[in-house]
Amino acid sequence: MENKRIGLSLSGGGARAFAHLGVLKVLEEQKIEISCISGTSMGAIIGAFWAKGYPSEEILQILKKIRFRKFLQWNWSKGILSSQKIYNFLKQYFPENSFKSLKMPLYVSCTDMKESKTVCFSSGKLIEPLVGSISVPGLMMPFNLKHYQLADGGMLENLPSGVLKGKCDYLIGVHSNPANKKNIKTLRQSLEKAFLITIANNTHHSKEICDLLIEPPKLSHYRFSDFKKATQLYEEGYLYSKKLLNNFVL
């Protein structure tokens, strides 16, 4: 079918989401045109850059240069990371601060802590929902926007594919959080595994409604905090999706 609309949904996953950029590189190489995109947490950030027109390799270089100590604040009642500093960083790349400035429709998924439900933004101000979507409880306070208190969208729906149903004819989901079956030996591993179990439950339906699911299994060997391994994560996403999308035809 000609002019078939392809939707793309990008999950959260901390550093693991750098694998999304490898997938985007393959889409660029294969000249697979995307009509709309959704994302949460880091997937929302990457999706916004791409929807703005930044190529995948440039996004990788921009995000690799981030030094999280620049976002630190020493106000424990307001969180370890500063929402304002993250906002200022994003303003450099999205000066219009508007969904209208993007080259394709983008849907940013967040968790509203007040109502304990998922909320999605696709119009109006852009940066505020992006900051809200990456506001991980324990690291950042919820971001106040209108009557919402926004936090990491991955808590309730780590792959926001449902919002694209009806807006596209073919839906590609990219999930960066495959679970592993390793024995737990440290408290850190226990916390990470608990988070993965939560994600597995809240993405079951989201994965099922995708026509194509891209979930590189080797990502299970990486931590959510492995930001220094951005290039390796990018390559994992690239190599895995290249096999799936080679000679992609609808």
Side-chain angles (χ1 to χ4, degrees):
M1 182 192 304
E2 293 185 2
N3 300 320
K4 210 164 190 180
R5 300 168 301 167
I6 304 175
L8 179 69
S9 184
L10 303 178
S11 76
R16 287 177 168 190
F18 276 105
H20 294 338
L21 293 169
V23 179
L24 297 182
K25 178 63 176 177
V26 175
L27 293 174
E28 293 166 359
E29 290 179 344
Q30 297 287 340
K31 293 181 171 57
I32 298 172
E33 186 175 343
I34 299 299
S35 299
C36 53
I37 187 167
S38 67
T40 194
S41 198
M42 273 295 288
I45 298 293
I46 289 171
F49 272 97
W50 206 57
K52 178 68 173 173
Y54 292 96
S56 57
E57 290 185 349
E58 184 176 352
I59 302 170
L60 176 64
Q61 296 309 315
I62 290 170
L63 298 182
K64 276 178 63 176
K65 292 177 182 177
I66 293 176
R67 296 296 177 263
F68 283 93
R69 63 177 177 272
K70 292 184 178 181
F71 299 144
L72 292 175
Q73 62 182 2
W74 304 110
N75 189 329
W76 299 107
S77 65
K78 294 184 178 181
I80 299 171
L81 298 178
S82 167
S83 297
Q84 185 61 52
K85 290 179 180 180
I86 294 173
Y87 178 96
N88 294 340
F89 166 78
L90 292 173
K91 193 71 164 63
Q92 300 174 64
Y93 300 97
F94 304 95
E96 304 92 341
N97 190 19
S98 171
F99 279 91
K100 285 185 178 180
S101 69
L102 304 179
K103 296 183 178 181
M104 71 177 77
L106 171 71
Y107 300 84
V108 175
S109 181
C110 307
T111 297
D112 178 18
M113 295 288 276
K114 187 182 294 185
E115 298 291 338
S116 302
K117 67 178 184 180
T118 296
V119 290
C120 198
F121 298 86
S122 59
S123 62
K125 292 183 178 181
L126 171 65
I127 300 176
E128 284 82 350
L130 290 177
V131 176
S133 191
I134 61 170
S135 295
V136 179
L139 294 179
M140 297 169 65
M141 283 290 290
F143 190 88
N144 293 312
L145 177 61
K146 298 180 180 178
H147 57 280
Y148 301 111
Q149 286 195 309
L150 303 178
D152 191 332
M155 288 190 290
L156 294 179
E157 189 177 10
N158 198 50
L159 182 64
S161 56
V163 69
L164 297 184
K165 293 299 287 186
K167 298 178 177 66
C168 60
D169 304 299
Y170 191 90
L171 179 53
I172 300 174
V174 188
H175 192 250
S176 61
N177 298 290
N180 61 61
K181 297 183 179 180
K182 295 180 181 178
N183 289 327
I184 295 170
K185 298 180 180 179
T186 67
L187 179 59
R188 181 174 185 172
Q189 290 175 352
S190 178
L191 291 171
E192 288 186 348
K193 188 58 178 286
F195 186 56
L196 285 170
I197 291 171
T198 301
I199 287 174
N201 285 325
N202 77 33
T203 56
H204 182 72
H205 176 68
S206 301
K207 291 180 180 180
E208 283 189 335
I209 64 177
C210 294
D211 297 292
L212 174 64
L213 178 68
I214 300 175
E215 187 179 46
K218 289 185 179 180
L219 296 184
S220 65
H221 303 309
Y222 296 85
R223 292 175 173 173
F224 298 107
S225 57
D226 277 340
F227 288 94
K228 292 183 179 179
K229 297 181 179 179
T231 300
Q232 296 98 305
L233 286 156
Y234 168 86
E235 291 172 352
E236 295 286 5
Y238 178 82
L239 293 173
Y240 185 77
S241 59
K242 190 170 186 177
K243 296 176 184 177
L244 290 179
L245 295 170
N246 189 37
N247 299 319
F248 177 81
V249 178
L250 287 178

